[in-house]
């Protein structure tokens, strides 16, 4: 792990939603940290709690029906889950940037690109019009938007999907945030544009030293990006490791299943799918939520939920079964 102190530390985060069908236990005791300049990947299938976890940290979930009964999110010696809304607004966009999945619904359709970038600069940096104009132009050039001066005058619908996503990155980076959270920012883009966006974020992180949390369902995307990876399932972190260690030696059956489902150029074997369905989040996780789909599951898995625990200095897993030695991980 890095020797640098954490810039964001989340402990025992719990998020729930009240619905007509019952309470959805979306996030169940998530704990993690991200350090200065670190690139943290967060992976898992749809509904695993990735996006809700990160939106909960900044209290961006709709409340009600959502609520956060437990946990803390420590940033600059304050708990983001407890501070007032005015203090929180100073953090959102100013010190922690957020790139949303769909830029077309995140950008205001009736305001020009330039105005939307300048809004953040005036609010958080106290810039005047002239200073904000210059900074907005600089940001569009930073994210490699051609004809940047003209694009500032355009509306979001006049830009392509890839250009809109670059604008979202520019908005998120406007105030030089310490942490940048990217919520599946390349999902709706074609492969070529995906690669360009990923390269831009990689270069900006190296140039600016911003810590990046990259949320995705695709392990292949973060293979060459992340320093460390969190694997989520059923609203919990089931494995955490350095990216090289996770790919070389996955220790949770769910992580193994995700990696086995990736196509590889050096193999011509049939892709493996994970049998079964994701867990119902209407019930709190009293047992291992992956047990019904797991080939290693035994009696303890079906009655007790394992907690994330270290198996080395750089690797932690939430599993009762020791895959490497093919035996129960704990004797009691």
């Amino acid at each position: 792990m890095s020797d640098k102190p954490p810039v964001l530390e989340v402990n025992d985060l719990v998020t729930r939603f009240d619905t007509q069908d019952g309470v959805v236990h979306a996030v169940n005791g998530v704990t993690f940290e991200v350090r200065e300049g670190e690139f943290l990947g967060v992976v898992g299938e749809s509904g695993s709690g990735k996006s809700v976890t990160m939106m909960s940290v900044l209290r961006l979930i709709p409340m009600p029906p959502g609520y956060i009964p437990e946990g803390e999110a420590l940033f600059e010696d304050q708990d983001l889950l407890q501070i007032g809304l005015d203090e929180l607004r100073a953090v959102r966009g100013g010190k922690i940037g957020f790139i949303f999945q769909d830029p077309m619904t995140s950008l205001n359709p009736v305001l020009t690109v330039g105005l939307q970038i300048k809004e953040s600069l005036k609010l958080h940096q106290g810039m005047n019009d002239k200073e904000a104009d210059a900074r907005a132009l600089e940001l569009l050039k930073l994210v490699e938007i051609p004809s940047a001066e003209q694009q500032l005058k355009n509306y979001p619908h006049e830009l392509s999907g890839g250009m809109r996503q670059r604008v979202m990155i520019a908005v998120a980076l406007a105030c030089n945030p310490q942490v940048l959270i990217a919520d599946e920012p390349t999902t709706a883009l074609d492969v070529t544009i995906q690669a360009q966006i990923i390269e831009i974020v990689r270069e900006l992180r190296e140039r600016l030293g911003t810590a990046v949390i990259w949320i995705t369902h695709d392990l292949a995307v973060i293979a060459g990006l992340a320093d460390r990876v969190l694997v989520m399932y059923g609203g919990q972190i089931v494995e955490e490791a350095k990216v090289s260690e996770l790919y070389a030696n996955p220790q949770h059956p769910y992580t193994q299943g995700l990696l086995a489902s990736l196509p590889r150029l050096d193999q011509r074997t049939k892709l493996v799918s994970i049998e079964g369905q994701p867990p119902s989040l209407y019930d709190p996780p009293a047992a291992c939520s992956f047990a019904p789909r797991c080939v290693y599951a035994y009696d303890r898995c079906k009655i007790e939920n394992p907690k994330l625990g270290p198996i080395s200095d750089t690797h932690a897993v939430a599993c009762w079964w020791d895959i490497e030695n093919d035996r129960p991980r704990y004797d009691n």
Side-chain angles (χ1 to χ4, degrees):
M1 299 291 181
S2 170
D3 293 331
K4 296 179 180 178
V7 290
L8 176 64
E9 187 176 350
V10 176
N11 296 308
D12 299 317
L13 179 67
V14 175
T15 304
R16 296 173 183 157
F17 293 89
D18 284 327
T19 72
Q20 290 181 337
D21 297 321
V23 177
V24 176
H25 298 77
V27 179
N28 300 296
V30 165
T31 296
F32 70 92
E33 63 185 24
V34 60
R35 297 176 181 274
E36 180 184 339
E38 183 180 28
F39 200 119
L40 179 68
V42 183
V43 301
E45 62 193 77
S46 297
S48 61
K50 310 181 300 297
S51 298
V52 175
T53 294
M54 299 309 162
M55 292 179 73
S56 296
V57 167
L58 292 176
R59 284 152 60 187
L60 290 171
I61 61 170
M63 295 190 284
Y67 59 102
I68 305 169
E70 298 175 41
E72 59 181 9
L74 303 178
F75 178 78
E76 292 188 337
D77 298 322
Q78 56 186 350
D79 184 355
L80 300 181
L81 304 183
Q82 300 297 330
I83 61 175
L85 282 177
D86 287 340
E87 296 170 284
L88 185 61
R89 289 188 188 103
V91 173
R92 292 174 180 165
K95 298 177 180 179
I96 301 179
F98 206 112
I99 305 172
F100 293 94
Q101 188 173 144
D102 184 0
M104 198 58 197
T105 58
S106 302
L107 293 170
N108 192 324
V110 299
L111 295 180
T112 64
V113 165
L115 282 174
Q116 295 188 62
I117 299 175
K118 288 163 59 178
E119 181 181 33
S120 179
L121 294 168
K122 289 179 177 180
L123 177 64
H124 295 293
Q125 301 286 304
M127 292 185 178
N128 59 36
D129 274 326
K130 186 175 181 181
E131 292 169 332
D133 281 333
R135 177 60 175 159
L137 180 60
E138 179 187 347
L139 285 163
L140 288 196
K141 290 179 178 178
L142 190 68
V143 296
E144 300 178 10
I145 288 184
S147 306
E149 197 162 358
Q150 175 57 44
Q151 302 291 7
L152 285 172
K153 303 172 186 176
N154 288 341
Y155 292 88
H157 73 270
E158 297 179 282
L159 305 180
S160 67
M163 289 298 169
R164 286 194 293 266
Q165 197 58 277
R166 291 175 196 228
V167 170
M168 284 297 299
I169 295 173
V171 171
L173 290 172
C175 301
N176 297 318
Q178 294 169 252
V179 182
L180 178 64
I181 301 173
D183 185 5
E184 303 202 43
T186 61
T187 296
L189 306 176
D190 64 54
V191 176
T192 303
I193 304 301
Q194 280 187 30
Q196 292 174 3
I197 296 295
I198 289 169
E199 190 58 33
I200 286 170
V201 173
R202 189 210 309 266
E203 290 178 0
L204 291 174
R205 173 248 184 161
E206 291 175 356
R207 190 186 314 175
L208 304 176
T210 303
V212 177
I213 301 174
W214 188 283
I215 305 167
T216 182
H217 62 275
D218 189 351
L219 271 166
V221 167
I222 59 166
L225 282 175
D227 301 308
R228 191 162 50 92
V229 182
L230 307 179
V231 181
M232 291 194 67
Y233 184 82
Q236 298 173 286
I237 297 172
V238 296
E239 189 161 9
E240 174 185 353
K242 285 185 175 180
V243 65
S244 56
E245 191 170 356
L246 187 88
Y247 281 75
N249 188 30
Q251 288 297 299
H252 195 281
Y254 178 61
T255 311
Q256 288 189 332
L258 289 179
L259 290 170
S261 68
L262 294 177
R264 293 179 51 172
L265 293 176
D266 60 342
Q267 291 183 355
R268 295 192 176 185
T269 55
K270 187 177 179 181
L271 292 180
V272 177
S273 63
I274 302 174
E275 299 293 333
Q277 298 294 323
S280 169
L281 296 177
Y282 288 111
D283 301 314
C288 176
S289 55
F290 190 66
R293 308 173 72 181
C294 182
V295 296
Y296 300 102
Y298 70 111
D299 292 345
R300 189 173 187 179
C301 306
K302 300 169 186 176
I303 59 173
E304 190 177 351
N305 192 26
K307 293 187 178 296
L308 189 70
I311 56 175
S312 76
D313 291 340
T314 57
H315 202 152
V317 67
C319 185
W320 294 125
W321 192 258
D322 183 345
I323 293 176
E324 196 166 15
N325 296 302
D326 196 28
R327 66 186 183 192
R329 191 175 300 280
Y330 309 106
D331 293 331
N332 50 28

